[in-house]
Amino acid sequence: MKVDELPVDERIKRIIRERGIEELYPPQAEALKSGVLDGKNLVLAIPTASGKTLVSEIVMVNKLLREGGKAVYLVPLKALAEEKYREFKEWESLGIRVAATTGDYDSTDEWLGRYDIIVATAEKFDSLLRHSPKWVKDVKLVVADEVHLIGSYDRGATLEMILSHMLGKAQILALSATVGNAEELAEWLDAALVMSDWRPVELRKGVFQLGTLFWEDGKIDRYPENWASLVIDAVKRGKGALVFVNTRRSAEKEALSLSSKVSKLLTKPEARQLEELISSIEDNPTTEKLKRALKGGVAFHHAGLSRAERTLIEDAFREGVIKVIAATPTLAAGVNTPAFRVIIRDTKRYAGFGWTDIPVLEIQQMMGRAGRPRYDKVGEAIIVARTDDPKKLMEKYIHGKPEKLFSMLANEQAFRSQILALITNFGIGNFRELVSFLEKTFYAHQKGDIAALEYKAKNVVYFLIENEFIDMDTSDRFMALPFGKRTSQLYIDPLTAKKFRDAFPQLERNPNPFGIFQLLASTPDMATLTARKRELEDYLDLAYEFEERLYTNIPYYEDSRFQGFLSQVKTAKVLLDWINEVPETRIYETYNIDPGDLYRILELADWLMYALIELYKLFEPKDDVLQYLRDLHLRLRHGVREELLELVRLPNIGRKRARALYNAGFTTQDAIMRAKVRDLLEVEGIGIKVVEGLFRYFGVEMPGKVREAGKKAETRKKGTLDAFLK
Ligand code: ADP
């Protein structure tokens, strides 16, 4: 189908043609003929890179131009929200306003009312729904990207509930990877189903064992014995390769070992480009390894890297500066990083108590990264048979069908939180109404019977009543209590809220960072750092040393909570170091964690600390305790000791700059306001931009001469500024 033949506004076609697209891919044409342009729901299950995004753009913009209202585009990751936001911005020339929102779960974000396309993570949109902003009633279309995540244990319930809420109220376009039961999903959503294996770049799949590469069509190629030869071969042909492994350490190890081989193939200009890339990366033990690998044109990619570093790697790989990435499977679920050749080193992973096979759905997503549209005629995806029989791997992962999706609504933690929200925020008035809502879910559709779910719901309702989240009046109608309503809006597990409330009396008596951090770490909303076997004794000693500061008893060794508790102690200790200004690098080394781990617990602790304060406010708070908590929150956010609190309130002043200013004698805001510009610029990390920001904040005009001088100097070389001003 030609773009010209599309039954949509001329302006939409013009923009698509401007992208160089004249002809729609076959599954795109099929999707757009399914009735979706006239408002029918659609499940589109086609491989990655086969143009799902374009279909959703056409459907969204067509709807917005015709009917007005809003479209919400749901993604599973923040990085994807940014990617889509950048893509959709292009429609602004038609007057369509695009916004992206991901953080802060306690907000109505009324400002979003001014936008037409809203890109959000599922969790963010779920939290928004709980605050019932006015603009929600204008949502006419929900696009759910990666909808197969409905089957994910921790995240599935959120997506399922959003769709259950929006079903019948807005049109739904669900974009999915190929799954075993797309029909079932489509039936539930009362949607047309378009399913296809069509890909813009042909995909060849095979299994590699000790030098023999068995292609799916029966052909055989020979290589040197080690699978690394597949990587070297790709690079020699001027192409890139992605290697998927099952752990972070394997990704690092393979990257370093491949790097020494790939480095020999680099040209001088390529090596220079890599040097430039390396110089833009911060120093810490993890990036030290990364930098060594990058020297040879290879990177590793895993959740231990910071978001900024991951983005840097993804971009440089797309540009061809990085030739090879060794990654954990998170990369396959993330932003678009196609490569000519994908090599899957591991098809098993360690989960809890043993090794399990990685699901077909996930392996197929990794394989789907093979082949760059417009650059490659064909992409190659190769599974390495290390211990398994190649025939078995071929059968399971290459010829086999991906798994079915199963509803994860009954996951206890998610369910508890969702039931509370239904009662406190979505006007479910009694048990009968609750049951009839549950009947609309994918769970109900799939099982055909919700007796088990009803039973679980009853238990949750008892729990909620018993703990004063909700109450029931004499005619059995639910009443939302302030504690429940606030818990739901704060987007935390009711169990977390209960733990907080139970700890308030002790906290009031003895507010202290360690006790509070252990409390945060003990909630189901916190991802704790695992205390390793050999560390247990150290953390037990620490717990005894700090026993008086804790709001809980130390469990006995036989207690099933023992190891979990020590992991909480470890996590609390990391947070304690952080607010005592222990340098990040020392934290990584001491606790043997990666930067990504620290960021993750800081982000979670920040949100939980906020929730703790908000809930404390509901229980006749003491002013001094409240102030203590707020200060601690600020210390946590910036990683500073108490004496720097005044300074980190200033714009662009974080833990490093605040410490430098303080040590240089600028210990208060007042001292900074009175300082000479020249003296401030002497302080490490303080440049003219920061000083300008400070002056603006104080409402003081910066002397014109100084500003000009500073700007000129800044455009020249760094480090000459002081000399220039003197
Ligand atoms: P998906 O969302 O399915 O992973 P995308 O929508 O991101 O895939 O599409 C991948 C690439 O293909 C994008 O660069 C997009 O511009 C391009 N593309 C989409 N549709 C067409 C088409 N009909 N013709 C040529 N290129 C297309």
Side-chain angles (χ1 to χ4, degrees):
M1 184 186 196
K2 291 252 178 283
V3 171
D4 275 340
E5 296 165 39
L6 270 175
V8 298
D9 195 299
E10 278 308 315
R11 291 171 293 174
I12 300 180
K13 300 186 208 174
R14 195 193 70 224
I15 291 199
I16 298 175
R17 281 195 308 262
E18 277 168 11
R19 286 186 188 174
I21 298 176
E22 296 285 347
E23 177 91 29
L24 292 173
Y25 292 150
Q28 288 176 329
E30 201 190 326
L32 291 166
K33 282 189 222 154
S34 69
V36 72
L37 288 172
D38 301 314
K40 187 156 177 46
N41 294 348
L42 170 68
V43 172
L44 178 57
I46 57 178
T48 356
S50 50
K52 290 194 278 278
T53 313
L54 184 69
V55 172
S56 70
E57 288 176 277
I58 296 171
V59 174
M60 286 194 291
V61 178
N62 172 60
K63 183 130 187 146
L64 293 171
L65 291 181
R66 270 203 215 164
E67 301 174 28
K70 290 184 193 313
V72 171
Y73 192 102
L74 300 175
V75 290
L77 296 168
K78 284 183 185 175
L80 285 170
E82 281 155 32
E83 188 185 62
K84 296 299 167 198
Y85 171 74
R86 280 196 300 271
E87 284 179 57
F88 300 163
K89 275 291 229 190
E90 211 175 295
W91 299 99
E92 291 200 328
S93 64
L94 301 189
I96 288 181
R97 289 150 302 185
V98 186
T101 178
T102 55
D104 189 0
Y105 291 143
D106 185 27
S107 164
T108 56
D109 282 353
E110 287 298 347
W111 62 276
L112 289 170
R114 297 194 298 275
Y115 292 85
D116 307 302
I117 295 180
I118 297 167
V119 185
T121 53
E123 284 72 17
K124 173 68 187 188
F125 187 61
D126 191 26
S127 79
L128 280 167
L129 285 175
R130 296 184 186 192
H131 287 84
S132 12
K134 290 195 204 76
W135 54 263
V136 164
K137 65 175 186 336
D138 301 328
V139 174
K140 298 237 167 94
L141 170 68
V142 175
V143 183
D145 200 356
E146 317 270 347
V147 80
H148 50 268
L149 288 174
I150 262 192
S152 126
Y153 181 77
D154 359 305
R155 319 207 31 210
T158 309
L159 199 52
E160 180 172 344
M161 282 308 250
I162 294 175
L163 292 176
S164 307
H165 280 299
M166 300 309 286
L167 202 57
K169 293 195 188 117
Q171 185 187 0
I172 289 173
L173 169 54
L175 310 176
S176 172
T178 324
V179 292
N181 56 342
E183 297 84 2
E184 210 169 21
L185 199 61
E187 273 170 27
W188 171 51
L189 293 171
D190 187 22
L193 172 65
V194 171
M195 219 172 21
S196 155
D197 308 332
W198 187 91
R199 290 176 34 107
V201 186
E202 189 199 331
L203 179 60
R204 274 187 98 194
K205 295 179 246 177
V207 178
F208 180 92
Q209 190 189 39
L210 298 170
T212 310
L213 174 49
F214 304 94
W215 291 110
E216 55 186 322
D217 57 10
K219 293 208 178 90
I220 289 181
D221 281 336
R222 305 265 176 214
Y223 281 88
E225 194 175 302
N226 192 317
W227 60 263
S229 56
L230 295 168
V231 176
I232 309 305
D233 172 65
V235 179
K236 274 191 184 151
R237 288 155 65 177
K239 312 238 180 200
L242 277 178
V243 181
F244 285 105
V245 297
N246 56 10
T247 66
R248 288 186 196 178
R249 297 298 161 246
S250 293
E252 292 173 1
K253 187 180 138 263
E254 297 300 0
L256 284 164
S257 126
L258 288 167
S259 169
S260 62
K261 302 184 180 108
V262 174
S263 69
K264 301 191 184 102
L265 308 172
L266 297 174
T267 63
K268 281 230 170 75
E270 283 175 335
R272 257 201 306 279
Q273 274 181 309
L274 286 162
E275 280 302 332
E276 227 168 83
L277 186 71
I278 291 168
S279 66
S280 67
I281 299 175
E282 250 187 56
D283 285 318
N284 60 52
T286 309
T287 54
E288 186 270 320
K289 287 178 264 181
L290 179 65
K291 289 178 180 204
R292 261 193 290 144
L294 281 174
K295 268 198 176 36
V298 184
F300 54 82
H301 186 291
H302 59 54
L305 292 167
S306 73
R307 230 172 263 148
E309 284 148 10
R310 275 179 276 162
T311 308
L312 200 82
I313 293 167
E314 289 151 10
D315 289 346
F317 184 69
R318 260 186 304 250
E319 287 160 20
V321 176
I322 293 175
K323 309 290 174 199
V324 182
I325 301 182
T328 52
T330 42
L331 182 69
V335 298
N336 200 12
T337 47
F340 162 67
R341 191 172 271 171
V342 168
I343 294 150
I344 297 164
R345 193 200 73 169
D346 300 312
T347 51
K348 289 186 190 305
R349 70 171 152 232
Y350 196 75
F353 299 99
W355 291 93
T356 55
D357 281 348
I358 297 176
V360 180
L361 179 66
E362 274 182 53
I363 296 280
Q364 292 194 341
Q365 280 210 297
M366 297 178 205
M367 296 200 282
R369 296 279 163 184
R372 292 164 309 160
R374 286 201 282 268
Y375 298 103
D376 300 324
K377 276 212 189 68
V378 52
E380 299 182 347
I382 302 163
I383 299 175
V384 180
R386 301 212 298 164
T387 47
D388 276 317
D389 176 9
K391 272 205 207 88
K392 207 184 113 209
L393 291 173
M394 180 78 83
E395 225 163 83
K396 177 165 176 140
Y397 290 113
I398 295 182
H399 297 306
K401 243 177 100 146
E403 293 77 9
K404 280 184 167 187
L405 295 183
F406 290 102
S407 166
M408 288 294 150
L409 196 57
N411 160 2
E412 200 179 324
Q413 185 181 352
F415 195 51
R416 204 160 46 212
S417 170
Q418 294 293 351
I419 297 274
L420 175 64
L422 284 169
I423 297 170
T424 58
N425 301 94
F426 295 107
I428 294 291
N430 57 33
F431 200 74
R432 205 172 21 81
E433 286 172 29
L434 182 60
V435 170
S436 65
F437 182 87
L438 294 176
E439 275 164 355
K440 295 201 300 192
T441 61
F442 183 52
Y443 181 101
H445 178 82
Q446 191 162 40
K447 297 253 156 118
D449 165 25
I450 62 161
L453 198 64
E454 216 178 303
Y455 177 74
K456 273 197 165 182
K458 215 167 247 163
N459 283 338
V460 172
V461 168
Y462 287 142
F463 168 84
L464 295 174
I465 293 175
E466 204 168 54
N467 289 289
E468 295 170 10
F469 290 96
I470 59 171
D471 207 347
M472 224 185 233
D473 68 13
T474 45
S475 54
D476 286 349
R477 284 197 70 76
F478 296 140
M479 292 183 301
L481 298 177
F483 180 53
K485 196 155 174 111
R486 203 65 193 110
T487 297
S488 173
Q489 286 180 335
L490 289 165
Y491 210 61
I492 55 175
D493 186 332
L495 204 55
T496 298
K498 173 178 152 50
K499 277 183 179 260
F500 284 172
R501 191 191 49 197
D502 292 349
F504 285 150
Q506 275 182 295
L507 191 155
E508 271 189 341
R509 257 178 275 137
N510 179 18
N512 76 85
F514 190 73
I516 292 171
F517 293 160
Q518 190 276 331
L519 174 63
L520 302 185
S522 73
T523 67
D525 283 307
M526 185 76 186
T528 51
L529 300 167
T530 311
R532 298 181 178 85
K533 277 237 162 57
R534 62 188 151 74
E535 297 174 332
L536 294 181
E537 208 171 302
D538 291 345
Y539 290 115
L540 188 59
D541 282 345
L542 188 79
Y544 279 120
E545 189 187 329
F546 287 177
E547 196 173 6
E548 249 99 86
R549 305 189 202 174
L550 290 168
Y551 309 135
T552 176
N553 295 326
I554 299 174
Y556 294 113
Y557 182 76
E558 296 75 22
D559 195 320
S560 59
R561 291 171 307 160
F562 184 72
Q563 199 160 348
F565 170 77
L566 293 180
S567 294
Q568 295 158 18
V569 169
K570 176 175 181 175
T571 310
K573 181 63 170 48
V574 170
L575 295 173
L576 197 64
D577 280 6
W578 168 250
I579 63 163
N580 283 325
E581 294 179 48
V582 175
E584 278 110 301
T585 307
R586 238 213 359 263
I587 297 183
Y588 304 143
E589 282 165 358
T590 311
Y591 301 96
N592 196 7
I593 58 172
D594 288 321
D597 301 314
L598 180 63
Y599 293 134
R600 204 159 311 114
I601 64 164
L602 289 178
E603 200 171 78
L604 287 168
D606 181 46
W607 164 50
L608 287 171
M609 191 70 205
Y610 172 81
L612 176 83
I613 295 171
E614 288 301 302
L615 289 179
Y616 179 57
K617 286 191 203 160
L618 298 178
F619 297 95
E620 297 169 16
K622 287 193 185 150
D623 285 346
D624 55 336
V625 176
L626 195 57
Q627 191 52 45
Y628 180 86
L629 292 174
R630 285 187 173 132
D631 285 349
L632 185 61
H633 188 200
L634 200 62
R635 288 182 63 192
L636 187 62
R637 185 163 279 180
H638 293 285
V640 294
R641 289 170 190 267
E642 224 166 329
E643 66 212 34
L644 297 188
L645 277 178
E646 192 175 329
L647 299 189
V648 291
R649 287 195 166 91
L650 293 168
N652 297 317
I653 303 297
R655 79 193 301 232
K656 288 200 184 108
R657 286 185 180 137
R659 178 46 66 197
L661 283 165
Y662 192 92
N663 289 351
F666 304 105
T667 56
T668 60
Q669 293 199 1
D670 197 50
I672 294 175
M673 195 155 70
R674 288 164 196 278
K676 288 206 182 82
V677 173
R678 177 191 299 177
D679 294 338
L680 288 176
L681 289 171
E682 295 259 322
V683 177
E684 199 187 331
I686 307 288
I688 194 75
K689 286 220 181 73
V690 175
V691 176
E692 270 184 343
L694 292 172
F695 274 57
R696 219 174 302 124
Y697 176 80
F698 292 132
V700 181
E701 185 67 25
M702 189 148 158
K705 252 178 25 202
V706 177
R707 195 173 48 224
E708 285 313 305
K711 274 205 184 120
K712 267 189 210 149
E714 196 112 297
T715 53
R716 280 195 244 134
K717 265 191 140 170
K718 270 190 191 158
T720 60
L721 181 59
D722 289 347
F724 188 88
L725 288 170
K726 271 176 199 158

